[in-house]
Amino acid sequence: MSDTNHTNFGRGTLAVHAGVEPDPSTGAIMTPVYLTSTYVQDGVGNHKGYEYSRTHNPTRSALEKAFAELEHGAHGFSFASGLAAMDTVLKTLQPGDEVISINDLYGGSYRLFTTVFAHYGITFHFVDLSDLDAVKAAMNEHTRMIWVETPTNPMMQITDISAMAQLAKGTNARVVVDNTFASPMLQNPLDQGADMVMHSVTKYLGGHSDVVMGCLVTSDEEWADQIRTLQNSCGAVSGPMDCFLVLRGLKTLHLRMQRHCENGEAIAHHLAKHPAVAKVHWPGFPGHPGHEVAARQMHGFGGMVAFTLADDNMDTAKAVVAQTKLFTLAESLGGVESLIGHPATMTHASIPKEVREKTGVTDGLIRLSVGVEDVKDLLEDLDQALAHATTGRG
Ligand SMILES: *Cc1c(COP(=O)(O)O)cnc(C)c1O
């Protein structure tokens, strides 16, 4: 199907077919895992488009095509991790350039910005991207990038992607969206004017908690050329076996996301009524500050739900996460199994306490990556853990 124009297909059809065509030599319906580092050449300069697997590998090429199609872009790139993908985008900047980003950023992204790239002369401004005046005030002639993450991790803040694209229009700034939380099933930033999409493929795209990978998609030819050169020059590519696993995972992305959304919604509503919970952070609620924008730019509210305990403290939070049985305590998200996390000590431990608390990442905040299990079992698990932890029996 690779020569077909896929733009008219629905998202589910794309999930099943994007990037993949039967293997030309055998007809194998699944893309073979090309475990090879090099390719035999018929003569000097006479090869079949593949010379060395850091540069190109057929399994990776199929996946990169799938990424591009899923995100409605022209060029896809696969990397060894989400952070390797980000690292590559940031390397297109020059000393003196400035980046505007959100104040509720994924911890690893914040660390990459502030402990690595800040040392190469790049300045980062962290602002509330829902406040367009604040974004405008942070922009100047050195601004080269607006780095958006929406929804954010873990507070589920929403940024209006087309508003960011409007602000960047006519300036030297380009808009990059970390689309990890939504996946291409729920949100396609390029359609809303973003210049680049990044994913931690580790999460929903892989979907089975067995691969660490990242990707970039863009239709900007000049930027794509730069990314291609950097990908080959720096070499943080994904291996063929991992690419195969993700090609396999993608085929059920639409089904998984549908269930993640249904379960997430049921759990958000249930927790909102629970006496041990002070607040549920989920963009599907009309009272959520980003609800209107999320309803406009997303096709569903996703499977990530965070909540603040009525007892907003470390001990109660630790007791809750120790007590759940189906929701297992682990970093990461987006897999078929439900996970529970404590951002203050886990994903956001690298963010200073006073910085994280400003955005609501308090000691009593708990984050759920709602999986695709039967929702009744998930609700029962949360109820017993909350009861146990808040009656002092924990
Ligand atoms: C996990 C994650 C990353 C980093 O991706 P890795 O694959 O872990 O390197 C970046 N952004 C978000 C929103 C994430 O959840």
Side-chain angles (χ1 to χ4, degrees):
M1 289 196 48
S2 67
D3 294 331
T4 317
N5 178 357
H6 282 171
T7 50
N8 292 327
F9 287 126
R11 285 185 295 276
T13 306
L14 276 183
V16 177
H17 291 286
V20 178
E21 58 184 324
D23 175 46
S25 59
T26 63
I29 194 160
M30 287 302 295
T31 308
V33 186
Y34 286 90
L35 288 169
T36 188
S37 60
T38 191
Y39 306 83
V40 177
Q41 306 192 6
D42 292 338
V44 174
N46 184 6
H47 55 76
K48 299 179 168 68
Y50 293 94
E51 295 164 273
Y52 186 62
S53 278
R54 177 172 15 80
T55 319
H56 295 294
N57 176 283
T59 316
R60 196 175 94 220
S61 300
L63 180 62
E64 291 183 328
K65 198 157 189 303
F67 288 148
E69 290 186 21
L70 285 167
E71 280 294 12
H72 306 165
H75 305 282
F77 301 93
S78 178
F79 294 89
S81 69
L83 287 177
M86 288 184 67
D87 174 68
T88 305
V89 181
L90 292 166
K91 281 176 180 155
T92 64
L93 298 173
Q94 302 287 325
D97 288 352
E98 299 191 8
V99 177
I100 296 172
S101 190
I102 193 159
N103 49 14
D104 178 27
L105 194 66
Y106 170 72
S109 307
Y110 182 83
R111 185 177 53 205
L112 181 65
F113 288 172
T114 57
T115 72
V116 180
F117 281 92
H119 293 170
Y120 293 104
I122 316 283
T123 303
F124 295 89
H125 302 276
F126 298 97
V127 304
D128 176 357
L129 295 185
S130 65
D131 179 350
L132 299 187
D133 291 331
V135 182
K136 263 185 234 158
M139 287 183 81
N140 61 44
E141 73 273 23
H142 304 294
T143 308
R144 290 291 176 278
M145 202 179 277
I146 302 179
W147 187 280
V148 178
E149 191 187 312
T150 183
T152 60
N153 175 20
M155 296 307 291
M156 308 302 293
Q157 281 190 55
I158 304 293
T159 295
D160 185 336
I161 298 168
S162 53
M164 293 301 111
Q166 258 345 96
L167 284 181
K169 208 174 195 165
T171 76
N172 288 323
R174 292 192 274 202
V175 176
V176 186
V177 177
D178 180 338
N179 202 26
T180 300
F181 267 41
S183 92
M185 291 299 114
L186 304 186
Q187 181 168 277
N188 296 116
L190 298 185
D191 292 347
Q192 291 160 39
D195 301 287
M196 174 91 72
V197 183
M198 171 258 158
H199 282 275
S200 170
V201 176
T202 314
K203 317 296 168 50
Y204 287 107
L205 293 179
H208 296 75
S209 310
D210 50 9
V211 173
V212 171
M213 190 187 288
C215 78
L216 300 174
V217 176
T218 185
S219 294
D220 180 324
E221 296 294 330
E222 187 194 331
W223 217 4
D225 278 345
Q226 268 184 298
I227 297 290
R228 192 175 296 109
T229 301
L230 283 167
Q231 184 191 39
N232 188 43
S233 304
C234 302
V237 294
S238 50
M241 190 64 216
D242 286 352
C243 292
F244 175 84
L245 288 170
V246 173
L247 279 167
R248 181 180 178 158
L250 287 181
K251 292 183 187 297
T252 55
L253 180 61
H254 55 312
L255 303 173
R256 289 186 282 110
M257 289 316 295
Q258 186 183 341
R259 180 64 87 94
H260 285 299
C261 288
E262 289 166 9
N263 285 356
E265 177 169 5
I267 286 171
H269 281 280
H270 183 79
L271 289 176
K273 288 180 300 208
H274 201 289
V277 173
K279 195 166 173 55
V280 179
H281 313 282
W282 182 68
F285 287 131
H288 185 283
H291 175 73
E292 259 174 57
V293 176
R296 170 157 47 81
Q297 75 185 8
M298 298 176 77
H299 307 292
F301 300 111
M304 297 303 297
V305 178
F307 60 99
T308 308
L309 290 166
D311 262 351
D312 190 0
N313 67 64
M314 188 72 85
D315 289 343
T316 312
K318 281 188 172 166
V320 172
V321 302
Q323 203 58 42
T324 53
K325 296 186 171 62
L326 271 175
F327 282 90
T328 45
L329 179 62
E331 304 243 1
S332 199
L333 62 107
V336 288
E337 59 287 291
S338 291
L339 300 180
I340 192 164
H342 184 236
T345 56
M346 296 169 71
T347 46
H348 289 58
S350 56
I351 300 183
K353 186 175 165 79
E354 60 284 2
V355 177
R356 67 173 161 81
E357 289 201 332
K358 260 187 232 156
T359 58
V361 185
T362 55
D363 290 347
L365 182 81
I366 291 175
R367 189 190 81 175
L368 303 176
S369 171
V370 179
V372 301
E373 300 93 334
D374 288 323
V375 72
K376 162 184 144 304
D377 296 328
L378 297 178
L379 293 172
E380 277 173 22
D381 191 34
L382 290 171
D383 279 349
Q384 65 80 24
L386 286 167
H388 206 92
T390 55
T391 55
R393 282 179 287 135

